Amino acid sequence: MGGHFPLEGDGCVPALFHYMWNKNSRKKSCPMVKLPDTVVYKYRQPAYWYFTSKDPSAGIKMKNKCNLGNVKVEETFCNKAASSTNEAVAYYISSEQTPNGLETRIQHFDAPALRDFLYNHEKENNGFLQRFVDSKGTSNTLHRAIWSPSVFHVERRTNLLDIADKKFSMHQRVVTFEGEEHLSDTRAITDTTLGCQLQRVCEHMADHCTYLLRQQGLNSRVSRMVLHFKVDDHGRVWLLWCSSIRTSSEDILPSLTLSLPSPVDLHTTLTVPESIKRFLGPG
């Protein structure tokens, strides 16, 4: 598993989805982790489709290869709840090395744009397509968590526009961390209940990955992660993606800071494709 799913990385780390799906000693996927429908592309083709079962005891599951076709993806991703107030159905995330460093791009889609993407565009840079989860509240909000065994910090980024206000383009209404700072508001988490819940999720993820690393015969543990989450209108926490993760040898004492060699990357450029920037107005 390790050769095909290298756990360390920056930008977007789709291998983490496979670790979350893989089973622990109790034959369960990672506890407390909910994952939206996520299709990982390799060599420009759909390779894996992960999703959270409606049965709470079943956890994260993977669809059969025969269900990876564009028709199934479009049908599932475009099936929004009737109560939804916005048209966003999905986004594609991929990372690429540029002359200025690693750049991660996020492109959101409504149903027509998703159809065009699925049937008419190359899926570059081994990224992933993920179903859009509506946020709790009236604006799109993401939470970014920085975790190590002894450090935990969460910040919230909320778009300044009402996501239902169609006087503005969809792209203006959904951007958070990938947009210019004037398009959203950043705050530390003051809800201690949510903060504790996110920390427990991170700890379960680290423990789950460490167990799987040991099963591969690797004397390693997860030492640091940067994770993105969303809270939906039912108060459920969803793991969206990982933008940086590191492992370390079990023979090394746990880090007391984030300043050891090979730190997690907190500065990877997160942006939108050039074709979308014109919808966001001047920077």
Side-chain angles (χ1 to χ4, degrees):
M1 176 176 143
H4 297 290
F5 302 96
L7 189 56
E8 288 201 330
D10 298 312
C12 67
V13 190
L16 183 65
F17 300 137
H18 205 77
Y19 277 78
M20 295 298 96
W21 163 78
N22 228 295
K23 305 303 180 282
N24 60 20
S25 59
R26 300 174 60 194
K27 308 302 181 185
K28 299 287 186 180
S29 62
C30 186
M32 289 188 72
V33 172
K34 290 183 177 296
L35 184 67
D37 284 274
T38 301
V39 179
V40 174
Y41 288 82
K42 287 197 171 185
Y43 310 108
R44 304 185 178 186
Q45 297 296 321
Y48 308 99
W49 182 343
Y50 308 97
F51 66 101
T52 299
S53 174
K54 293 181 180 179
D55 176 2
S57 66
I60 296 171
K61 304 187 76 173
M62 185 195 297
K63 289 189 181 289
N64 294 327
K65 295 285 186 181
C66 62
N67 290 323
L68 288 174
N70 288 335
V71 172
K72 290 283 189 182
V73 173
E74 180 184 1
E75 180 183 274
T76 299
F77 281 53
C78 293
N79 184 25
K80 285 182 73 81
S83 59
S84 178
T85 61
N86 70 87
E87 67 273 36
V89 297
Y91 43 86
Y92 185 73
I93 301 182
S94 63
S95 295
E96 181 181 19
Q97 283 290 349
T98 71
N100 296 321
L102 186 66
E103 183 174 278
T104 300
R105 300 187 185 99
I106 304 179
Q107 182 174 0
H108 285 80
F109 305 109
D110 59 12
L114 176 61
R115 186 176 306 116
D116 180 57
F117 174 79
L118 289 172
Y119 292 99
N120 301 317
H121 291 269
E122 295 282 2
K123 288 46 171 195
E124 300 176 347
N125 304 321
N126 291 340
F128 61 89
L129 184 72
Q130 193 166 74
R131 188 173 183 173
F132 186 84
V133 175
D134 287 356
S135 296
K136 183 178 182 180
T138 59
S139 297
N140 194 36
T141 300
L142 265 66
H143 297 80
R144 180 166 64 187
I146 301 168
W147 179 92
S148 80
S150 56
V151 175
F152 182 71
H153 173 76
V154 184
E155 61 179 335
R156 181 185 67 197
R157 182 72 69 91
T158 300
N159 189 288
L160 295 178
L161 299 174
D162 188 322
I163 199 166
D165 189 351
K166 296 186 179 180
K167 294 195 299 293
F168 300 92
S169 75
M170 179 191 70
H171 303 290
Q172 289 173 299
R173 290 178 277 129
V174 297
V175 292
T176 54
F177 290 101
E178 75 275 22
E180 298 288 341
E181 289 187 3
H182 70 273
L183 297 173
S184 58
D185 176 57
T186 303
R187 296 185 182 182
I189 293 294
T190 57
D191 183 342
T192 55
T193 300
L194 176 59
C196 289
Q197 183 179 1
L198 290 172
Q199 186 171 11
R200 288 198 304 272
V201 172
C202 292
E203 289 167 352
H204 277 295
M205 292 175 64
D207 289 345
H208 189 80
C209 290
T210 297
Y211 168 81
L212 294 171
L213 290 169
R214 289 172 178 166
Q215 292 299 108
Q216 298 170 55
L218 301 174
N219 188 33
S220 300
R221 64 194 298 276
V222 173
S223 57
R224 285 150 283 181
M225 301 184 290
V226 181
L227 303 165
H228 296 253
F229 296 95
K230 182 176 277 192
V231 180
D232 70 13
D233 54 2
H234 297 290
R236 297 173 297 194
V237 173
W238 295 86
L239 170 67
L240 301 185
W241 77 91
C242 172
S243 58
S244 192
I245 188 168
R246 296 289 184 271
T247 62
S248 62
S249 170
E250 290 278 22
D251 297 329
I252 299 176
L253 290 175
S255 168
L256 296 178
T257 71
L258 291 177
S259 58
L260 287 181
S262 188
V264 288
D265 190 345
L266 305 179
H267 305 291
T268 298
T269 300
L270 188 60
T271 186
V272 298
E274 289 295 327
S275 60
I276 302 302
K277 289 183 179 178
R278 63 189 178 89
F279 292 105
L280 302 180

